[in-house]
Amino acid sequence: MKRILQYLITPETQGISILAFLRRKGFSGSILSSMKALPDAVLYNGRQVSFRTVLTEGDSLLVTVPENRPGEDLRPLSVRIPILLEDEDLLVVNKPADMPVHPSPGNYENTLANWAAFHFRREKDFVFRCVNRLDRDTTGAVILAKNPLSAAILSREIKERQIHRTYLAIVKGVPPEKGTIRAPIARKEGSVLEREVNFQKGQPAVTHFQRLAVKQEYSLLELHLDTGRTHQIRVHMKYLGYPLPGDYLYCPDHTGIKRQALHSFQVEFPHPITEETVLLTAPVPEDFRNAWYFSRK
């Protein structure tokens, strides 16, 4: 979606060109190219100027960030999904279970993208931009970028590990009080979905965990990731010998819960525009709570 931003030139940014200023602010090459097609994309003190114009302290820069991708043809899905934060640049939601993030063959309707199409149904130029992906049955905080600029900046923050995610998981057994798993992950031969630890063909994967509580033969863990491999927590905990109950791929024990007991509990990151720290907590869903209570019997 289109975004309009106004900047006041400070002593730290005077004397550089508009182009250099925008690059400092996180404008990508594709965004800058799309802006060049608009005669009024950049207004300096209310006047149209070129990107080569040098900035002076106290002056004003009004910038229009156009949508640089075509809108998507998604069937809107009207369901209730809790919103943790929404402003002009971000939408952070608490994704439910049994909902993939993106449409795929066999499921073009029951996805987070379809829900977003309904949420933004009044926006003609809506484009679905998901910053952090969760598995279909993993619940919790998902960040959506509402315009090209916030998407570009958040993508960079992901690569630079500035977006910190905290997960909660229930596992079978009692692992050490804390630890780090460094084991590469690859697609399992002969399977489209399943992954495994593979030290010959796998990509590097690092998971940190801390044991929070123990009840009967189950443990509640807090986990943090250095990497974002598909099924990383699920695969790493199985590899360590403490799989997640309810996981149809890696531990199909559905006694206490019908899906993997994994929840993206918290996200912390610099806001892409204001640069202020954003810290959001996604309430734990009922089935996860019930599974933990079940383990305490």
Side-chain angles (χ1 to χ4, degrees):
M1 290 177 276
K2 182 174 73 173
R3 178 73 159 98
I4 299 176
L5 295 156
Q6 186 162 17
Y7 301 101
L8 182 66
I9 306 309
T10 62
E12 292 77 20
T13 53
Q14 70 168 346
I16 65 173
S17 69
I18 290 176
L19 180 61
F21 176 85
L22 294 179
R23 284 176 173 163
R24 284 189 187 182
K25 292 295 183 180
F27 285 68
S28 66
S30 62
I31 296 174
L32 294 170
S33 296
S34 65
M35 289 171 59
K36 289 178 181 178
L38 298 177
D40 59 349
V42 175
L43 297 178
Y44 185 51
N45 295 329
R47 298 181 293 108
Q48 295 181 16
V49 294
S50 75
F51 281 16
R52 296 189 298 273
T53 301
V54 175
L55 301 174
T56 301
E57 179 185 356
D59 286 347
S60 174
L61 191 63
L62 188 68
V63 179
T64 298
V65 183
E67 180 53 71
N68 58 1
R69 283 170 48 185
E72 300 178 71
D73 185 18
L74 293 167
R75 178 172 293 184
L77 174 66
S78 176
V79 296
R80 183 183 178 277
I81 295 182
I83 294 174
L84 305 178
L85 170 69
E86 183 169 18
D87 60 20
E88 290 186 274
D89 303 290
L90 300 173
L91 174 61
V92 186
V93 301
N94 188 358
K95 187 187 84 66
D98 193 29
M99 176 175 280
V101 169
H102 297 280
S104 60
N107 188 0
Y108 291 103
E109 298 181 359
N110 178 40
T111 74
L112 189 62
N114 296 105
W115 172 85
F118 175 82
H119 184 75
F120 295 113
R121 61 193 179 279
R122 295 182 179 86
E123 303 291 340
K124 295 182 180 179
D125 57 352
F126 160 71
V127 174
F128 182 69
R129 293 181 171 94
C130 185
V131 178
N132 62 311
R133 187 182 66 82
L134 295 180
D135 296 334
R136 178 186 186 119
D137 282 331
T138 299
T139 55
V142 176
I143 307 168
L144 308 181
K146 292 176 66 172
N147 57 69
L149 180 58
S150 61
I153 295 172
L154 288 166
S155 177
R156 186 196 69 214
E157 290 180 359
I158 280 279
K159 294 177 182 176
E160 296 177 354
R161 297 181 183 175
Q162 296 183 56
I163 298 181
H164 304 288
R165 290 165 283 177
T166 300
Y167 291 84
L168 295 178
I170 299 171
V171 301
K172 299 183 72 172
V174 183
E177 184 175 349
K178 59 182 177 179
T180 297
I181 308 168
R182 293 183 171 88
I185 293 174
R187 189 190 304 272
K188 187 173 183 179
E189 188 174 352
S191 175
V192 176
L193 294 177
E194 196 170 353
R195 266 62 175 179
E196 65 178 0
V197 168
N198 188 317
F199 285 89
Q200 286 71 46
K201 301 179 180 179
Q203 294 180 299
V206 180
T207 302
H208 307 280
F209 68 89
Q210 180 174 353
R211 196 181 71 226
L212 301 179
V214 177
K215 296 293 180 181
Q216 301 298 329
E217 298 177 359
Y218 296 88
S219 299
L220 178 66
L221 304 185
E222 176 182 311
L223 305 105
H224 301 267
L225 307 181
D226 283 356
T227 52
R229 306 303 175 203
T230 300
H231 302 174
Q232 179 170 321
I233 290 174
R234 299 158 63 188
V235 171
H236 269 177
M237 294 316 300
K238 178 186 177 182
Y239 169 73
L240 206 61
Y242 308 100
L244 280 62
D247 190 332
Y248 76 100
L249 277 177
Y250 306 109
C251 183
D253 174 5
H254 303 293
T255 307
I257 190 169
K258 302 304 181 184
R259 51 98 183 180
Q260 66 257 16
L262 182 61
H263 179 66
S264 177
F265 179 64
Q266 203 168 66
V267 289
E268 182 177 5
F269 57 95
H271 190 283
I273 304 302
T274 68
E275 300 181 4
E276 295 178 354
T277 298
V278 176
L279 176 60
L280 299 169
T281 299
V284 176
E286 184 178 6
D287 67 340
F288 191 105
R289 296 197 305 269
N290 290 342
W292 182 241
Y293 293 145
F294 170 83
S295 72
R296 296 167 63 179
K297 293 181 181 180

